[in-house]
Amino acid sequence: KQEVTQIPAALSVPEGENLVLNCSFTDSAIYNLQWFRQDPGKGLTSLLLIQSSQREQTSGRLNASLDKSSGRSTLYIAASQPGDSATYLCAVRLSNAGGTSYGKLTFGQGTILTVHP
Amino acid sequence: GAGVSQSPSNKVTEKGKDVELRCDPISGHTALYWYRQSLGQGLEFLIYFQGNSAPDKSGLPSDRFSAERTGGSVSTLTIQRTQQEDSAVYLCASSPPGLQGRQYFGPGTRLTVL
């Protein structure tokens, strides 16, 4: 059974800091990995998706890396802003036999990020 | 364009009653997923639809839970004889054709069972 762990559970930083969120997974037979952000009382917003064949993806101030062999992904946020405050979730999609995938996501518990002015 | 929509946004019911939760996916998205988010369990997969069929129902917690999808579009999640442990936010997601599609989530339905 795939297990996804996120560290730290919570993080508070001053505005302008660069920060790293960590995600680890137990089954390396993944199809892809997504990072989401969730604001209080809202649904999930997809930030970055990394396919299993890729090493990293970038979008603006966000960069996500993937190391399948070690079962790890990191989300790097540069020059953090108060608007980045949210819960960040990592989710893994497993491959089926034959390299296909049903699409079911297994989520970590999330990292609650607070960026204070 | 319009995103995934869910209704109702909030539902309060009494223990033992049946509830129906609705999801309208993004137009053209063939895959649809239901997840549940509760304080103790985090975000858990419930069921996956491809078109109108459900090849993966492995996350449904008991036979009180069922879901259907009609016309390859709208989906309904039904919980019969609700229990207090069913209280959670129920999230729906859809993704476009192709195996690499990312999942787009709706705002969720908050279910409270008294």
Side-chain angles (χ1 to χ4, degrees), chain A residues 102, chain B residues 30-34 45 47-57 67-75:
Chain A
Y102 275 157
Chain B
T30 54
L32 186 147
Y33 310 82
W34 283 99
F45 166 81
I47 187 170
Y48 155 63
F49 286 94
Q50 183 62 245
N52 291 337
S53 63
D56 189 352
K57 307 178 184 180
E68 66 174 10
R69 189 178 184 196
T70 55
S73 181
V74 172
S75 176

Side-chain angles (χ1 to χ4, degrees), chain B:
Chain B
V4 177
S5 61
Q6 293 185 244
S7 61
S9 55
N10 277 285
K11 176 72 177 179
V12 180
T13 191
E14 293 179 350
K15 177 181 173 181
K17 295 285 180 68
D18 297 352
V19 296
E20 285 190 351
L21 312 180
R22 177 186 168 107
C23 172
D24 277 278
I26 294 171
S27 177
H29 282 197
T30 54
L32 186 147
Y33 310 82
W34 283 99
Y35 295 87
R36 177 169 74 172
Q37 187 172 32
S38 54
L39 280 177
Q41 300 297 322
L43 233 158
E44 304 171 290
F45 166 81
L46 297 177
I47 187 170
Y48 155 63
F49 286 94
Q50 183 62 245
N52 291 337
S53 63
D56 189 352
K57 307 178 184 180
S58 63
L60 293 178
S62 74
D63 58 9
R64 295 186 296 104
F65 287 72
S66 63
E68 66 174 10
R69 189 178 184 196
T70 55
S73 181
V74 172
S75 176
T76 303
L77 177 69
T78 301
I79 309 173
Q80 296 179 311
R81 304 181 303 281
T82 52
Q83 303 294 313
Q84 288 183 332
E85 61 263 28
D86 299 335
S87 296
V89 177
Y90 289 82
L91 292 162
C92 174
S94 68
S95 62
L99 292 175
Q100 298 187 2
R102 65 178 61 196
Q103 295 185 20
Y104 297 84
F105 280 76
T109 293
R110 179 174 296 279
L111 175 65
T112 303
V113 182
L114 301 177

Side-chain angles (χ1 to χ4, degrees), chain A residues 31-32 34 36 38 41-49 51 89 93 99-109, chain B residues 33 35 37 39-45 48 55-56 58 91 98-108 110:
Chain A
Y31 195 83
N32 60 37
Q34 274 185 266
F36 293 89
Q38 185 173 33
K42 303 286 180 64
L44 278 65
T45 301
S46 180
L47 298 173
L48 290 165
L49 183 149
Q51 301 298 341
L89 293 156
R93 177 171 167 174
T100 58
S101 172
Y102 275 157
K104 160 188 171 181
L105 295 178
T106 302
F107 285 84
Q109 294 292 322
Chain B
Y33 310 82
Y35 295 87
Q37 187 172 32
L39 280 177
Q41 300 297 322
L43 233 158
E44 304 171 290
F45 166 81
Y48 155 63
D56 189 352
S58 63
L91 292 162
L99 292 175
Q100 298 187 2
R102 65 178 61 196
Q103 295 185 20
Y104 297 84
F105 280 76
R110 179 174 296 279

Side-chain angles (χ1 to χ4, degrees), chain A residues 81-113:
Chain A
Q81 304 171 355
D84 296 331
S85 298
T87 297
Y88 289 80
L89 293 156
C90 162
V92 172
R93 177 171 167 174
L94 281 181
S95 288
N96 297 336
T100 58
S101 172
Y102 275 157
K104 160 188 171 181
L105 295 178
T106 302
F107 285 84
Q109 294 292 322
T111 294
I112 302 171
L113 173 65

Side-chain angles (χ1 to χ4, degrees), chain A residues 2-110:
Chain A
Q2 176 74 279
E3 293 184 2
V4 181
T5 304
Q6 291 188 244
I7 295 173
L11 183 62
S12 180
V13 300
E15 182 177 5
E17 270 203 10
N18 302 325
L19 56 98
V20 174
L21 308 182
N22 297 290
C23 172
S24 62
F25 46 93
T26 54
D27 188 339
S28 61
I30 68 169
Y31 195 83
N32 60 37
L33 183 147
Q34 274 185 266
W35 282 93
F36 293 89
R37 126 175 217 155
Q38 185 173 33
D39 294 281
K42 303 286 180 64
L44 278 65
T45 301
S46 180
L47 298 173
L48 290 165
L49 183 149
I50 312 176
Q51 301 298 341
S52 63
S53 58
Q54 297 174 324
R55 298 283 294 182
E56 66 177 332
Q57 281 287 327
T58 298
S59 176
R61 293 182 295 106
L62 306 179
N63 175 276
S65 66
L66 174 64
D67 185 341
K68 273 196 344 177
S69 61
S70 67
R72 293 185 180 185
S73 176
T74 61
L75 178 66
Y76 176 83
I77 303 177
S80 58
Q81 304 171 355
D84 296 331
S85 298
T87 297
Y88 289 80
L89 293 156
C90 162
V92 172
R93 177 171 167 174
L94 281 181
S95 288
N96 297 336
T100 58
S101 172
Y102 275 157
K104 160 188 171 181
L105 295 178
T106 302
F107 285 84
Q109 294 292 322

